[in-house]
Amino acid sequence: MSTKIAIQGVKASFHEEAAFKFFGDDIETIECSSFKQTCEMLKQGKADYVVMAIENSIAGSILPNYNLLRDYRFHIIGEVHLIIQQNLLALPGVKLSDIKTVESHPIAIRQCDEFLSDHPDWEVKEGMDTAGCAQKIMEEKLTTTAAIASEYAAKTYGLQILEKRIETHKKNATRFLILSNEVVEQKNANKASLSFQTGNAVGALATVLQCFAEQNVNLSKIQSMPVVGRRNEYDFYVDVEWKKQSDYDAAIRKVLKHTVNFSIMGEYIKNEKV
């Protein structure tokens, strides 16, 4: 039986590409209409893993997904970085001059703002995901609509590429997390995602961050999110990296003395391949 991976979006979405990149081709992807639905699939045992986008090098952190990580408390067992290349797709035979409407995911639209600003007469519509907009053009035979999506989506849905590489920044990358219901031990783990709260005293957060610095543990990301219903209180989400396991272990022991609701969300192998 092949491994079941819950993804947000349809076949040929960037989430499916990320799933193939991490797990290989022998998987079954479960299409979900929302990130919350992917989490429900994993919670109910209908999926073995979730692939979830967490940040983009242009659009920044995907904040609602941090709320899902907090609410579902899944374990992060890995990460994938994917270079995002956007293309303008349309039905075969359609010309650029025929286009009146462009549809895509809101983040994809933002990634191509310079290209779109060159076509002010087009109506730009937001859709659920890039590949889903490509699928819609194919299924509904839309002759005046184009989608912003991947080359993989063009092949999957039989569309032509009117314009290649229309993203504004060519080094545009998205980081995806691999989520599991169970802890998966990783012998060579060199990265961790942690969450915690601190007191409100002056320098409380600085004290915690100093614990990592003293042990030669690199802080690669920090994100704060308001604690629901509690004014001026925040959850801090940090990613840390280390070369020596003993340094990381010592840093955690120190940090525990200065934080509350401390949680190790996952320890895994850093993945920078794009």
Side-chain angles (χ1 to χ4, degrees):
M1 259 175 55
S2 56
T3 307
K4 291 188 172 72
I5 317 294
I7 59 166
Q8 187 268 328
V10 299
K11 295 216 172 299
S13 65
F14 289 111
H15 276 84
E16 188 175 62
E17 279 194 58
F20 285 137
K21 189 171 178 184
F22 189 86
F23 291 101
D25 293 339
D26 190 24
I27 58 170
E28 180 187 335
T29 50
I30 301 170
E31 301 174 8
C32 299
S33 60
S34 67
F35 286 114
K36 185 172 175 63
Q37 192 186 353
T38 66
C39 292
E40 282 298 316
M41 287 289 166
L42 182 55
K43 183 183 174 183
Q44 294 165 20
K46 293 175 183 173
D48 301 306
Y49 301 98
V50 164
V51 173
M52 178 185 282
I54 199 66
E55 64 181 309
N56 175 265
S57 57
I58 296 169
S61 295
I62 302 168
L63 298 180
N65 288 357
Y66 277 96
N67 289 331
L68 292 173
L69 292 175
R70 180 199 63 208
D71 295 345
Y72 283 89
R73 307 190 79 77
F74 294 137
H75 304 284
I76 301 168
I77 63 149
E79 64 178 0
V80 178
H81 292 264
L82 206 62
I83 289 287
I84 305 298
Q85 298 182 352
Q86 302 287 15
N87 307 274
L88 192 70
L89 315 184
L91 285 173
V94 169
K95 298 191 293 292
L96 200 61
S97 56
D98 298 327
I99 301 303
K100 292 187 173 66
T101 307
V102 174
E103 283 193 39
S104 197
H105 187 277
I107 289 179
I109 290 167
R110 277 170 64 189
Q111 289 164 355
C112 303
D113 55 358
E114 273 189 23
F115 174 81
L116 292 171
S117 69
D118 291 337
H119 300 275
D121 50 327
W122 290 351
E123 182 188 1
V124 179
K125 287 184 179 176
E126 295 184 354
M128 282 301 289
D129 77 301
T130 53
C133 293
Q135 183 184 42
K136 180 182 170 185
I137 288 172
M138 181 269 293
E139 288 179 347
E140 298 180 19
K141 301 286 184 281
L142 304 175
T143 55
T144 60
T145 301
I148 297 171
S150 68
E151 205 171 320
Y152 177 34
K155 285 178 190 159
T156 302
Y157 298 111
L159 301 180
Q160 65 166 336
I161 298 177
L162 287 178
E163 294 275 348
K164 276 193 168 189
R165 300 298 306 272
I166 62 170
E167 70 276 8
T168 304
H169 300 279
K170 302 308 175 195
K171 290 188 175 174
N172 173 21
T174 295
R175 176 176 171 234
F176 299 82
L177 298 178
I178 313 299
L179 308 179
S180 169
N181 234 335
E182 296 164 19
V183 179
V184 178
E185 285 293 324
Q186 311 237 16
K187 282 181 189 164
N188 301 315
N190 57 1
K191 186 169 183 177
S193 295
L194 316 169
S195 70
F196 55 82
Q197 294 165 18
T198 65
N200 237 341
V202 172
L205 179 60
T207 301
V208 175
L209 302 186
Q210 188 61 29
C211 294
F212 292 119
E214 286 169 0
Q215 295 303 143
N216 209 27
V217 172
N218 182 41
L219 187 79
S220 58
K221 180 176 171 70
I222 183 166
Q223 181 70 54
S224 65
M225 294 286 287
V227 176
V228 178
R230 286 156 74 178
R231 200 162 144 260
N232 295 335
E233 289 190 33
Y234 295 88
D235 283 312
F236 293 101
Y237 296 88
V238 302
D239 290 340
V240 296
E241 301 168 8
W242 62 91
K243 288 191 167 63
K244 285 170 63 182
Q245 182 71 31
S246 56
D247 286 342
Y248 167 70
D249 293 340
I252 295 300
R253 283 196 296 274
K254 285 183 177 181
V255 165
L256 281 169
K257 296 172 186 170
H258 303 285
T259 57
V260 292
N261 295 332
F262 180 89
S263 172
I264 296 175
M265 299 160 72
E267 297 170 345
Y268 48 95
I269 295 165
K270 178 182 174 182
N271 185 331
E272 292 253 72
K273 291 179 191 167
V274 290

